[in-house]
Amino acid sequence: MAYLVDSHCHLARLSLKGKAAANIDEIIERAMRSGVSHFLSIACTTKDFEQNRLIAEDYNNIYLGCGIHPLDVRHEPDWKDADLKNNLLSSDKVIAVGETGLDYHYSPETKDLQIASFVRHVGIAKDVKKPLIIHAREAKDDTLAVLRTENACDVGGVIHCFTDTLEMARACLDLGFYISFTGIATFKSSENLREVIKYVPLDRLMVESDCPYLAPIPVRGVENEPAFVRYTLRCIADLKNVSEMELAGITSENFEKLYGVNLSESDTKATGREISDYKIDKIMDKEFSN
């Protein structure tokens, strides 16, 4: 059986409204039927962590990350290192620090606050010996400066939802980081990003939904969910001239290497219970069946 990891999602932020699902179990079931075998669900504040922890409690195949998102720093400016460390060390399921990083697109006025938080996250990652999940938007120079001056390569990590330039990708790869791509890769306007995808070596690449955000073509405009990462996988597989199955295997191995996990030890099967096959009729197949 092929593994396919949704390497970055926000399960606690799904609205669970409308046609998609009435509860998180339906979301997970539909994803597994679509071939998604494992999930890394991210808490963007220390307060978000408890909701994610409760979701993961019922599933062997959901891992967790915890950090203060750069856009949430202003809402939680007094966060404590000890609180974040407690969350990060609370369970073997918590495998990543973040997401952290810099976002000057939406919140340039909090630049100094974001940088200070980012630096603290790198230090905490070293203390707990877990890799970083980096969010970087319109902040290339400062992001690279922090990664370099703070020796973030000591713990490594991934630049998630990558949308930057080939130059930025090259610099991040040189620092030893992985690069992860979302449904943005499928957008008509993303020609430059697709050139970056062609450049990034297969052994340094991951795929993610970043749900509930950034639903890929052909489901753009609806709330995203992990099942839809299959569309992103298909797009990237075509760009890299490999099969979906091969890319799923490669990205899963990359996930295992970065986070030090063995996916076979947290294997969970779809239950087969009756649920809506909302928007996934074209991506359910025997090859990826769980």
Side-chain angles (χ1 to χ4, degrees):
M1 186 195 81
Y3 291 125
L4 170 59
V5 184
D6 182 356
S7 68
H8 189 109
C9 55
H10 301 277
L11 297 178
R13 294 198 170 187
L14 287 159
S15 69
L16 303 179
K17 294 179 180 178
K19 298 177 181 178
N23 58 65
I24 195 68
D25 296 327
E26 291 183 31
I27 293 286
I28 300 301
E29 176 78 7
R30 185 159 51 244
M32 289 194 291
R33 285 192 200 176
S34 300
V36 183
S37 58
H38 297 78
F39 312 78
L40 175 52
S41 188
I42 309 301
C44 291
T45 69
T46 54
K47 296 171 185 175
D48 278 351
F49 179 74
E50 182 62 14
Q51 291 175 280
N52 279 276
R53 187 192 66 77
L54 290 172
I55 292 170
E57 206 171 58
D58 294 330
Y59 289 91
N60 290 332
N61 58 342
I62 298 178
Y63 297 101
L64 300 172
C66 185
I68 314 299
H69 191 287
L71 296 178
D72 286 298
V73 170
R74 58 186 170 182
H75 304 304
E76 200 173 347
D78 299 321
W79 67 274
K80 302 291 190 296
D81 290 26
D83 293 338
L84 180 53
K85 285 183 181 179
N86 285 340
N87 287 341
L88 292 166
L89 296 172
S90 63
S91 167
D92 289 341
K93 282 193 168 190
V94 188
I95 60 174
V97 179
E99 63 190 276
T100 182
L102 304 173
D103 191 317
Y104 298 165
H105 178 80
Y106 286 114
S107 190
E109 73 281 1
T110 62
K111 173 180 175 178
D112 291 343
L113 200 61
Q114 290 184 47
I115 291 174
S117 176
F118 188 11
V119 169
R120 288 168 64 189
H121 276 77
V122 176
I124 289 169
K126 292 179 183 179
D127 288 345
V128 301
K129 297 180 172 56
K130 297 178 190 287
L132 291 152
I133 297 174
I134 308 298
H135 173 109
R137 187 169 186 190
E138 296 181 17
K140 175 172 70 71
D141 291 341
D142 285 347
T143 298
L144 291 174
V146 171
L147 294 178
R148 287 168 176 153
T149 58
E150 300 302 319
N151 295 313
C153 57
D154 289 349
V155 290
V158 60
I159 314 298
H160 108 93
C161 188
F162 191 90
T163 56
D164 218 302
T165 62
L166 184 58
E167 178 189 12
M168 175 65 163
R170 186 179 293 114
C172 293
L173 291 168
D174 287 346
L175 286 168
F177 278 72
Y178 289 79
I179 296 181
S180 183
F181 298 97
T182 66
I184 293 174
T186 69
F187 296 177
K188 186 177 180 180
S189 60
S190 295
E191 279 301 327
N192 290 339
L193 182 62
R194 285 188 281 275
E195 290 304 311
V196 174
I197 292 170
K198 291 176 185 177
Y199 172 79
V200 174
L202 282 168
D203 64 357
R204 303 288 287 283
L205 186 151
M206 292 188 195
V207 293
E208 60 174 281
S209 69
D210 201 17
C211 75
Y213 319 108
L214 304 175
I217 301 295
V219 291
R220 189 176 181 183
V222 304
E223 183 173 81
N224 199 10
E225 59 177 271
F228 301 158
V229 79
R230 277 293 304 278
Y231 292 118
T232 303
L233 182 81
R234 180 175 301 163
C235 171
I236 295 175
D238 288 344
L239 292 170
K240 304 299 279 185
N241 293 312
V242 297
S243 69
E244 286 184 66
M245 182 72 77
E246 185 177 358
L247 184 60
I250 291 168
T251 54
S252 295
E253 288 176 10
N254 294 343
F255 185 90
E256 289 181 313
K257 289 175 185 175
L258 174 60
Y259 294 115
V261 298
N262 184 340
L263 297 178
S264 66
E265 294 177 354
S266 55
D267 196 7
T268 301
K269 306 290 185 183
T271 67
R273 65 175 173 273
E274 189 170 337
I275 60 166
S276 165
D277 290 334
Y278 174 74
K279 301 284 186 183
I280 62 165
D281 56 311
K282 295 179 181 177
I283 53 174
M284 294 179 68
D285 55 57
K286 295 177 182 178
E287 215 173 25
F288 278 89
S289 63
N290 284 298

